[in-house]
Amino acid sequence: MKELDRYADQVIRRGHEYKVSNLKSLAVQFGCPRKIIKLLVQDIKDKHLNYTVEGIPYMTANGRRKTSKSEVTVHGRGSGKISINGQNVLYFEHPQDREQVVFPLQFTGLLDEVDVEAKVWDGGQSGQSGAVRIALALALRSFVDKEMIENMRIGKFSYIHTCTHTNDPFSLVK
């Protein structure tokens, strides 16, 4: 039980509204205290916006597709600027790859409200655009409500999940 209390204290120190008693009852209910607490801590970490010195909210997420990897930072209070490896969306030669990148922003209605900075490496154009799309969708979760996250999960974002039985953000949830 000391280990459970330690994880509960971590959650509380991160400013989450859960109380120790709620965490303990959840852990007992699911029969795996360590996993439940870790998932709650991860969930808090995923949805917690960071702020720049100027007070602008931002969130960073990583994505992978095929052999490509990406790191995307979404800045709130933006104008819709998209930067991929220092270039605009025309970094991708094919229109379908550009659409892959822009789609999460259109779906969430944040196209003209946030700025996106993406770094992408390895793989080809298709894999890179997919990796950016995945990372972008994961970062956008912090800027939308739970209903939109569920819509993203149901829609074309099968790698976005809201379940508590896995901590793999790329798992396919049926």
Side-chain angles (χ1 to χ4, degrees):
M1 221 39 165
K2 288 180 182 180
E3 189 174 27
L4 178 59
D5 289 335
R6 187 168 45 109
Y7 281 106
D9 287 341
Q10 285 180 0
V11 172
I12 291 167
R13 270 189 248 123
R14 293 173 189 251
H16 202 266
E17 66 268 10
Y18 282 109
K19 295 180 181 173
V20 176
S21 59
N22 293 352
L23 293 175
K24 287 179 183 176
S25 65
L26 278 174
V28 170
Q29 178 183 350
F30 288 99
C32 51
R34 179 183 239 175
K35 289 182 180 179
I36 295 298
I37 302 302
K38 281 184 177 180
L39 287 173
L40 288 172
V41 170
Q42 184 64 39
D43 190 49
I44 293 162
K45 184 179 174 186
D46 285 348
K47 294 182 180 169
H48 179 70
L49 286 171
N50 300 307
Y51 291 88
T52 63
V53 176
E54 297 84 20
I56 298 171
Y58 72 95
M59 176 55 71
T60 301
N62 297 312
R64 295 186 316 186
R65 180 167 184 269
K66 297 183 179 182
T67 60
S68 300
K69 297 169 189 71
S70 70
E71 180 180 283
V72 172
T73 302
V74 176
H75 296 273
R77 297 189 225 149
S79 60
K81 178 183 171 192
I82 299 173
S83 172
I84 302 164
N85 288 348
Q87 301 176 35
N88 63 14
V89 77
L90 295 176
Y91 170 84
F92 295 110
E93 296 173 12
H94 302 289
Q96 61 267 33
D97 293 334
R98 291 182 217 137
E99 290 171 6
Q100 284 280 319
V101 172
V102 175
F103 184 74
L105 294 165
Q106 290 174 327
F107 190 87
T108 58
L110 296 173
L111 185 59
D112 295 325
E113 297 179 23
V114 297
D115 290 338
V116 177
E117 289 180 36
K119 296 175 194 164
V120 63
W121 59 96
D122 294 342
Q125 293 271 303
S126 175
Q128 287 187 351
S129 65
V132 170
R133 174 184 169 154
I134 289 169
L136 179 57
L138 289 171
L140 287 174
R141 292 188 323 166
S142 298
F143 289 89
V144 297
D145 59 14
K146 289 184 180 197
E147 184 179 340
M148 178 56 75
I149 292 172
E150 182 64 14
N151 290 340
M152 291 169 74
R153 188 189 70 78
I154 292 169
K156 304 231 181 213
F157 301 92
S158 58
Y159 43 83
I160 301 294
H161 65 85
T162 56
C163 67
T164 58
H165 69 274
T166 179
N167 62 355
D168 180 8
F170 303 106
S171 68
L172 297 178
V173 178
K174 306 273 183 200

